[in-house]
Amino acid sequence: MPERYTVPKVENYFTEALSKSANELRAALKRETAQLIIEASKRDQSFHLELKAFRDRWLGRKTGIISQINEIWLHGAPAEHKKAVGQIVNELRGEIERDVIEAIDGAQAISSLSDVDVREVTSDLKQILLERDRLDITLPGIRRPVGAEHPVIKALNEIVSVFKAMGYSVSEGPEIETDYYNFEALNFPPNHPARDTQDTLFIAGQQSKPPRERLLLRTHTSPVQIRTMENLAPPIRVVIPGKVHRNDAPDASHSPMFHQVEGLAVDTSITFCDLKGTLDHAMKALFGSRVRTRFQPSFFPFTEPSAEVAISCIFCRGKGCRTCKQSGWIELLGCGMVDPNVFEFVRDNGYDPAKVSGFAFGMGADRIALLKYGVDDIQLFFQGDVRFLEQFA
Ligand code: PHE
């Protein structure tokens, strides 16, 4: 800690001069307290040593500052000033004892605060330090932790920029969605078994509402396909990044909250070849040009035909390893040609299924972040441990 207070010799024992010295001591204690609290907010292992040193310096029995003012100020005072000096020193002693104990308690409390609270405390302290009577520009600055883009956001942005470069625009939609957008307009009829494939979190207490108006946490970004088509007439090319929720138990590869990037292209003559070419290009842009893609038939109510896309394993280049479970492939996304039944829901906005065609895809951004940054547990993304997150700065 810089600029430690030392008790000055007294040349002039008149009350006025001594009061000035007392006030300087008070200001010094205030500064050192602020500095101590800043040290506390760093929450270093060795902080208890600093705390002890601070205590000893001020309250230590033989050489502490309290003993020193007793010695230098009071004992050194000529007889005719003793009474007045004694009063000032006594008062000061009580104050110092109280303030030092308070500072120590405060510092101890701060050293066990959460990150967010600590940041608030340190910004208040900066104010105290700035309000000092004299500004000592030789004091070290207040170190502010540098923020970093969250790895999942980084992956989302990267995915989005790959599609922006192909002329896609970006669209967003609400995380609390109606049953209509999340399911019905995507060709999941009420009570259709396909709804069971997504463990949905419904908002409670909505029994009195008609089923299609009931609110839920969206299970995928696909509802924004419908919202986008309601707003924009064809031709469209959009990507939709966002958060989604499913009632999944958390483990190394599952989280009840995760992220997707949806894509939708609608025009007059879009074919499955366009879909394949687009996704093959995107995967190469994200994972490197050696990566190959594989399309396998699948099912989604809102696309027909549908496919599951895998990329050749980026760790073993397709030879087979632990990450790809010896298959050589890593499944990354679902896609397909927009089902004509979906266009029926937005037909009035120019989407006559006899005239337009399109493709859609949806990929898990967290999954992609895990692969790109070599992380083996999705939970790490959401636990908020700064030591993990700052590696992506
Ligand atoms: N919404 C699907 C899912 O979450 C993915 C998907 C999007 C499939 C678009 C096809 C087309 O599993």
Side-chain angles (χ1 to χ4, degrees):
M1 273 199 281
E3 204 198 325
R4 293 211 163 128
Y5 177 76
T6 47
V7 180
K9 292 234 156 40
V10 185
E11 320 271 340
N12 175 346
Y13 280 99
F14 286 105
T15 322
E16 209 179 77
L18 206 59
S19 294
K20 192 167 166 253
S21 300
N23 284 339
E24 279 166 5
L25 183 147
R26 288 189 180 98
L29 179 55
K30 209 167 152 190
R31 274 201 303 275
E32 286 196 26
T33 301
Q35 201 63 47
L36 185 80
I37 301 281
I38 284 174
E39 292 300 317
S41 69
K42 294 177 190 158
R43 288 161 300 166
D44 287 338
Q45 292 276 312
S46 61
F47 180 63
H48 65 280
L49 293 176
E50 277 182 60
L51 211 55
K52 185 176 181 316
F54 174 79
R55 185 180 200 293
D56 290 348
R57 253 169 49 63
W58 288 90
L59 308 182
R61 286 205 25 172
K62 286 222 175 76
T63 51
I65 287 165
I66 288 192
S67 314
Q68 286 183 44
I69 55 174
N70 244 347
E71 194 63 37
I72 305 178
W73 293 4
L74 185 57
H75 292 170
E80 72 268 30
H81 290 300
K82 271 241 155 67
K83 197 169 164 219
V85 174
Q87 227 169 25
I88 292 178
V89 166
N90 266 343
E91 216 174 274
L92 202 55
R93 195 192 296 144
E95 258 179 65
I96 295 175
E97 275 171 3
R98 195 195 57 215
D99 292 351
V100 167
I101 305 269
E102 232 171 63
I104 289 174
D105 287 347
Q108 252 158 356
I110 280 165
S111 68
S112 52
L113 280 183
S114 75
D115 285 331
V116 177
D117 293 337
V118 154
R119 231 168 283 144
E120 256 175 47
V121 171
T122 30
S123 78
D124 286 349
L125 281 165
K126 195 180 170 193
Q127 223 34 51
I128 294 180
L129 285 177
L130 284 176
E131 280 163 11
R132 297 171 358 177
D133 2 351
R134 280 176 295 120
L135 180 66
D136 182 351
I137 58 162
T138 63
L139 277 178
I142 291 164
R143 222 177 304 151
R144 291 201 165 265
V146 179
E149 203 172 33
H150 190 281
V152 172
I153 299 298
K154 200 164 161 163
L156 276 177
N157 287 341
E158 226 175 297
I159 298 165
V160 165
S161 68
V162 165
F163 287 95
K164 270 192 178 169
M166 288 191 270
Y168 281 65
S169 48
V170 184
S171 204
E172 282 184 316
E175 280 172 52
I176 300 175
E177 195 44 286
T178 59
D179 186 284
Y180 175 78
Y181 286 107
N182 197 78
F183 291 124
E184 198 178 327
L186 288 167
N187 200 29
F188 291 80
N191 302 317
H192 193 278
R195 290 177 172 224
D196 293 345
T197 61
Q198 307 193 347
D199 289 309
T200 311
L201 294 159
F202 286 89
I203 308 280
Q206 301 186 91
Q207 288 72 5
S208 60
K209 283 189 185 169
R212 55 160 60 177
E213 285 173 26
R214 290 186 193 163
L215 296 173
L216 46 82
L217 298 184
R218 68 178 177 193
T219 56
H220 49 177
T221 41
S222 304
V224 194
Q225 288 188 29
I226 308 295
R227 290 183 175 276
T228 307
M229 289 191 283
E230 283 178 347
N231 285 325
L232 298 171
I236 55 167
R237 311 272 189 276
V238 283
V239 274
I240 301 144
K243 253 184 201 139
V244 302
H245 298 78
R246 291 190 197 175
N247 188 16
D248 282 336
D251 64 25
S253 54
H254 293 87
S255 163
M257 182 282 300
F258 57 103
H259 300 78
Q260 292 189 330
V261 179
E262 189 86 10
L264 175 67
V266 183
D267 210 325
T268 47
S269 53
I270 291 207
T271 68
F272 200 88
C273 287
D274 298 314
L275 171 59
K276 283 191 80 172
T278 302
L279 288 179
D280 187 72
H281 168 80
M283 293 303 121
K284 286 182 163 66
L286 287 171
F287 292 104
S289 54
R290 287 171 188 252
V291 153
R292 287 165 293 133
T293 47
R294 179 190 74 178
F295 288 70
Q296 283 189 319
S298 184
F299 173 80
F300 299 101
F302 41 96
T303 48
E304 183 61 34
S306 303
E308 201 74 58
V309 184
I311 58 168
S312 53
C313 179
I314 53 173
F315 300 103
C316 63
R317 301 230 182 93
K319 288 193 196 70
C321 66
R322 268 182 51 180
T323 308
C324 62
K325 300 204 188 86
Q326 310 303 332
S327 70
W329 296 95
I330 298 175
E331 285 193 359
L332 267 193
L333 64 140
C335 66
M337 302 305 291
V338 179
D339 193 301
N341 289 346
V342 171
F343 287 137
E344 287 298 345
F345 286 92
V346 284
R347 175 192 266 275
D348 293 345
N349 201 25
Y351 293 88
D352 177 350
K355 293 190 181 135
V356 295
S357 61
F359 63 71
F361 56 84
M363 58 185 91
D366 322 74
R367 208 61 226 288
I368 291 177
L370 289 175
L371 291 171
K372 278 186 77 81
Y373 310 132
V375 176
D376 59 9
D377 185 345
I378 194 173
Q379 298 305 319
L380 288 166
F381 287 148
F382 308 125
Q383 286 163 342
D385 186 333
V386 176
R387 290 167 303 178
F388 170 74
L389 295 172
E390 69 190 358
Q391 299 175 76
F392 301 91

